[in-house]
Amino acid sequence: MRTQVGIIGAGPAGLLLSQLLALQGIESVVLERHDRAYIEQRVRAGVLEHGSAQTLREAGVGARMDELGMAHGGTELRFMRRRHRIDFEQLTGRGITVYGQQEIVKDLLAARIGAGGDIRFEVQGVELAGLDTDRPTCRFVAAGEQHQLECDVVVGADGFHGVSRGYLPNPTVYERHYPFAWLGILAEAPPSSHELIYARHEDGFALHSMRTPHIIRMYLQVRPDEDLAQWSDERIWTELHTRLSTDDGFKLTEGPLLDKGITPMRSFVCTPMQHGRLFLAGDAAHIVPPTGAKGMNLAMADIRVLAHALGGYYADGRTDLLAAYTETALHRVWRAMHFSWWMTTMLHVDPDEDEFGHQLALSQLEYVASSRAMEASLAENYTGLPYSQGWSYR
């Protein structure tokens, strides 16, 4: 087989790249190890920055997001049993959209398959070769048969545990593991607030979020080695009530749990994000703690840069944009790393934290709640920094 761009991974990053390339007349083949049903049902992030939502519209896949997504003009911080709302729209003129990652995948799949895009599901044993040549290859097994795909460029959008990053020779890795994790639940219940709530409580962090007007997503800070079996539904709800409670009588809506699991928290950056004709995007190159809602948005930002660079390569034979891919992408990556770290350390209770550290965190929250400059900084980072360039080369 022969194509221009081979893409490993049919998550939001890989599928968005395939869509943006197609709009520029560039061919691609997407290789995915799971079946279509799995990736369409896999529950992941749900907060879209202003620029991410706009990118989906520009890519021609924003109609269902605009119909079903929930637009938020702010968020709420809670500490010391008090509420403080950060007004995104007033501070930045931008907002966010809550729309599940699996819905984005459905929209992108429908667009690509509807246009005759080549997406191979249930692909196993992917191996890369010739990355230092002008004809790199992807070897893989599908339906029990060996296949070989020749490309001009290979893009690894196959996540943290994918194979692509292993083909970087001697990369530099920056990593931090946090001394806590998130116990997350999905529950069938209407949201108790029309916007996300981030709460710091002496017992730990809690987050109230939503996926639809009838499904809520909630998180509790727990130990990294927490035994999920020790958390009954009743215990989870009791702890959520405790950590989200306020002096003005906030009421948390309960409902039957649809899912629960524990997610460790880490920061991870791998550089360079490219080698020869291989380019990494999204979780294959970087991971952020979920507190700042940056994971999927960073992946989409990588793809904007890469789609623009590939457009220049195929339209005019330019190689400078591809050569600068790592440097360009990492500017945004490190800004998001810092913001996610800042939100995480401010809102979580470190198990080794003494009273001094606790008071510092509360002082930081008080400052955010009382300073318009700090509010604006949080709002600017949360809703997403403006893009310096469009994805389209023309």
Side-chain angles (χ1 to χ4, degrees), residues 122-266:
E122 299 183 82
V123 165
Q124 304 298 322
V126 173
E127 297 180 353
L128 306 181
L131 297 173
D132 289 320
T133 73
D134 59 1
R135 286 292 180 89
T137 60
C138 302
R139 302 188 185 99
F140 61 94
V141 176
E145 296 184 358
Q146 184 75 39
H147 299 268
Q148 180 165 302
L149 175 67
E150 289 189 353
C151 320
D152 299 328
V153 172
V154 178
V155 175
D158 49 347
F160 183 79
H161 298 290
V163 302
S164 301
R165 191 173 64 254
Y167 286 90
L168 295 181
N170 303 314
T172 299
V173 169
Y174 304 90
E175 190 168 16
R176 171 164 297 180
H177 292 267
Y178 295 87
F180 32 74
W182 276 11
L183 191 164
I185 65 165
L186 274 178
E188 189 175 355
S192 306
S193 166
H194 69 284
E195 294 175 339
L196 276 70
I197 302 170
Y198 289 82
R200 179 185 170 106
H201 185 271
E202 61 186 15
D203 293 339
F205 169 80
L207 171 62
H208 173 284
S209 182
M210 62 288 292
R211 287 295 176 265
T212 74
H214 310 288
I215 302 292
I216 54 176
R217 184 73 160 155
M218 311 272 280
Y219 296 97
L220 288 167
Q221 176 187 340
V222 297
R223 301 191 317 271
D225 60 350
E226 196 74 52
D227 181 3
L228 186 60
Q230 299 300 312
W231 285 84
S232 65
D233 294 4
E234 180 181 4
R235 182 185 178 190
I236 291 172
W237 284 117
T238 298
E239 198 63 31
L240 284 167
H241 279 283
T242 297
R243 298 190 194 184
L244 291 168
S245 61
T246 61
D247 287 336
D248 61 3
F250 169 77
K251 299 296 183 183
L252 178 63
T253 305
E254 294 188 18
L257 299 193
L258 306 175
D259 182 56
K260 60 182 175 181
I262 293 178
T263 303
M265 300 182 69
R266 65 180 179 273

Side-chain angles (χ1 to χ4, degrees), residues 61-366:
V61 292
R64 207 163 69 94
M65 174 193 68
D66 287 332
E67 178 186 357
L68 302 177
M70 293 175 283
H72 288 192
T75 194
E76 185 180 315
L77 299 180
R78 288 189 184 179
F79 58 100
M80 302 296 288
R81 298 179 61 85
R82 303 196 309 268
R83 312 182 191 208
H84 180 79
R85 181 172 184 266
I86 307 293
D87 192 327
F88 295 156
E89 292 182 340
Q90 183 184 74
L91 291 161
T92 68
R94 304 191 300 272
I96 61 168
T97 301
V98 175
Y99 188 61
Q101 173 176 309
Q102 71 273 23
E103 303 304 321
I104 296 170
V105 168
K106 291 175 186 175
D107 297 341
L108 287 165
L109 278 175
R112 294 305 306 123
I113 293 175
D118 193 342
I119 302 173
R120 309 292 178 96
F121 297 102
E122 299 183 82
V123 165
Q124 304 298 322
V126 173
E127 297 180 353
L128 306 181
L131 297 173
D132 289 320
T133 73
D134 59 1
R135 286 292 180 89
T137 60
C138 302
R139 302 188 185 99
F140 61 94
V141 176
E145 296 184 358
Q146 184 75 39
H147 299 268
Q148 180 165 302
L149 175 67
E150 289 189 353
C151 320
D152 299 328
V153 172
V154 178
V155 175
D158 49 347
F160 183 79
H161 298 290
V163 302
S164 301
R165 191 173 64 254
Y167 286 90
L168 295 181
N170 303 314
T172 299
V173 169
Y174 304 90
E175 190 168 16
R176 171 164 297 180
H177 292 267
Y178 295 87
F180 32 74
W182 276 11
L183 191 164
I185 65 165
L186 274 178
E188 189 175 355
S192 306
S193 166
H194 69 284
E195 294 175 339
L196 276 70
I197 302 170
Y198 289 82
R200 179 185 170 106
H201 185 271
E202 61 186 15
D203 293 339
F205 169 80
L207 171 62
H208 173 284
S209 182
M210 62 288 292
R211 287 295 176 265
T212 74
H214 310 288
I215 302 292
I216 54 176
R217 184 73 160 155
M218 311 272 280
Y219 296 97
L220 288 167
Q221 176 187 340
V222 297
R223 301 191 317 271
D225 60 350
E226 196 74 52
D227 181 3
L228 186 60
Q230 299 300 312
W231 285 84
S232 65
D233 294 4
E234 180 181 4
R235 182 185 178 190
I236 291 172
W237 284 117
T238 298
E239 198 63 31
L240 284 167
H241 279 283
T242 297
R243 298 190 194 184
L244 291 168
S245 61
T246 61
D247 287 336
D248 61 3
F250 169 77
K251 299 296 183 183
L252 178 63
T253 305
E254 294 188 18
L257 299 193
L258 306 175
D259 182 56
K260 60 182 175 181
I262 293 178
T263 303
M265 300 182 69
R266 65 180 179 273
S267 297
F268 175 90
V269 179
C270 175
T271 184
M273 293 170 58
Q274 62 195 94
H275 167 64
R277 293 293 184 96
L278 171 67
F279 299 85
L280 303 185
D283 287 359
H286 42 73
I287 297 284
V288 290
T291 323
K294 289 287 164 264
M296 179 170 59
N297 292 294
L298 267 187
M300 295 174 73
D302 290 347
I303 293 307
R304 284 183 66 104
V305 175
L306 199 48
H308 178 74
L310 288 167
Y313 175 73
Y314 282 107
D316 294 328
R318 291 183 61 177
T319 59
D320 58 317
L321 297 175
L322 286 172
Y325 170 65
T326 292
E327 181 180 1
T328 304
L330 283 182
H331 280 298
R332 195 178 194 93
V333 168
W334 278 113
R335 174 85 299 273
M337 285 289 160
H338 179 267
F339 177 68
S340 299
W341 166 85
W342 177 71
M343 288 279 286
T344 299
T345 54
M346 178 173 65
L347 288 163
H348 290 71
V349 177
D350 190 315
D352 297 323
E353 182 178 87
D354 57 13
E355 186 58 28
F356 183 82
H358 176 62
Q359 292 300 326
L360 285 179
L362 291 180
S363 175
Q364 181 67 65
L365 283 163
E366 291 278 9

